[in-house]
Amino acid sequence: MIDELTIASQLQQEILPEKSISLPGLQIVAKTKPATEVGGDSFDFVKVADKTYIYIGDVTGHGVPGGLIMTMVNAFVEVFADSMGSAREIIINVNKYIKRRIRKAMFMTMVMLCWDGKTQKMTYVGAGHEHILLYHADTGECEAILSGGVALGMLPDNSEVAVEKEIPLKDGDFIVLYSDGITEARNSEGLQFGLENLKRSVIEYAPEYSAEGLNYHIARDVSHFMKGQTQLDDMTLIVIRKDKSIVEGSAMEDSSITWKDE
């Protein structure tokens, strides 16, 4: 069993991106930390012509069953991104094919962003995932946007609830995507880290740091809050900063997806 878990873990790691993507106009840093050998959190960056799809997903539970669903979803997203013209169409078709292949009790939440390199606009489609955090650099406020939609695999047809909306981004603004392993992380008293603590971390660090720095300091705050308590769920954090100074070929100091909190 250990050998099989090791193989499954290796396969999953090969499916996840090796590093964060570099795009003109954006700083993007993604880090993940599975709770077990095989995780249920999923994310990827899929570039098709002028559009780049950035998504994060979370399967019910974790371990081998969650890892299998995560693997299927990643494959379907990549296939449909090549043939569909929008994030909404991708979400609808992934849901259609996932619903046919998983048990009723299992589903996957997701939120997918679409960055249009030509128009420099960001849109999103939600499938029952956590909030999207939007930090406004000019006011110092952190807005929690409901991602909306219904989790993949819950409905045979999600076309009526899959809605694509724009996220208005100004230079210096941040978008933060996360899985519930972060907000539901518990300390020794059984209290959860929660959405408000996450927002406070964004507000505190965003004025001082790049996407890389904000990602690191949020991870550190979560780690300090847990104070050595066992991690019960997978944790994934994606931080995006609108930065007009970023050009083609710009590189980050650390583009790996390994979670770092110390």
Side-chain angles (χ1 to χ4, degrees):
M1 287 180 65
I2 292 173
D3 287 343
E4 289 179 357
L5 281 173
T6 301
I7 292 170
S9 178
Q10 290 173 346
L11 288 171
Q12 187 178 47
Q13 291 304 312
E14 289 174 5
I15 289 170
L16 288 174
E18 293 183 359
K19 59 183 182 179
S20 298
I21 194 171
S22 177
L23 293 174
L26 295 178
Q27 298 176 9
I28 306 173
V29 178
K31 305 288 182 183
T32 189
K33 187 180 183 181
T36 57
E37 290 89 345
V38 184
D41 278 8
S42 174
F43 70 96
D44 206 352
F45 317 103
V46 183
K47 195 173 188 309
V48 182
D50 294 316
K51 293 184 178 180
T52 302
Y53 302 101
I54 303 164
Y55 71 87
I56 182 171
D58 187 1
V59 181
T60 49
H62 46 86
V64 174
L68 290 172
I69 294 175
M70 168 266 198
T71 303
M72 282 196 294
V73 168
N74 272 39
F76 282 137
V77 167
E78 193 161 345
V79 168
F80 289 123
D82 281 336
S83 56
M84 303 295 165
S86 69
R88 179 178 180 272
E89 289 177 288
I90 296 171
I91 290 288
I92 290 171
N93 281 277
V94 170
N95 176 77
K96 177 182 176 182
Y97 283 89
I98 283 293
K99 179 63 177 174
R100 297 175 182 175
R101 289 166 172 79
I102 62 174
R103 292 180 294 179
K104 290 183 179 180
M106 302 196 75
F107 54 88
M108 180 174 182
T109 66
M110 178 184 284
V111 62
M112 178 178 286
L113 307 181
C114 177
W115 173 251
D116 190 316
K118 274 189 175 180
T119 63
Q120 297 283 288
K121 289 184 178 181
M122 184 78 80
T123 59
Y124 75 94
V125 179
H129 196 69
E130 303 296 309
H131 290 79
I132 300 167
L133 298 187
L134 174 59
Y135 175 80
H136 300 276
D138 55 356
T139 63
E141 297 177 345
C142 184
E143 178 183 359
I145 303 170
L146 284 170
S147 63
V150 174
L152 301 173
M154 292 193 74
L155 298 174
D157 181 2
N158 66 349
S159 58
E160 291 189 6
V161 293
V163 181
E164 190 155 8
K165 299 179 182 179
E166 184 179 347
I167 301 176
L169 273 182
K170 298 178 182 177
D171 202 53
D173 289 353
F174 284 85
I175 294 174
V176 177
L177 306 179
Y178 62 96
S179 63
D180 63 7
I182 293 175
T183 51
E184 295 178 5
R186 294 182 182 273
N187 63 13
S188 58
E189 298 175 353
L191 299 175
Q192 293 186 347
F193 186 70
L195 179 61
E196 291 307 312
N197 275 333
L198 180 55
K199 289 172 65 177
R200 274 193 285 270
S201 294
V202 173
I203 291 170
E204 179 178 356
Y205 302 119
E208 299 181 57
Y209 295 101
S210 63
E212 189 175 349
L214 180 56
N215 195 303
Y216 167 78
H217 282 87
I218 292 174
R220 190 183 64 170
D221 280 0
V222 174
S223 178
H224 288 177
F225 178 83
M226 293 173 67
K227 296 177 182 176
Q229 294 298 300
T230 302
Q231 180 187 342
L232 299 176
D233 199 1
D234 309 321
M235 297 193 294
T236 301
L237 181 66
I238 301 176
V239 176
I240 302 167
R241 183 176 188 264
K242 180 76 166 62
D243 185 350
K244 62 185 179 182
S245 71
I246 301 297
V247 295
E248 191 76 41
S250 297
M252 290 177 294
E253 188 174 318
D254 176 22
S255 60
S256 75
I257 65 168
T258 302
W259 181 278
K260 294 181 179 178
D261 53 20
E262 295 296 343

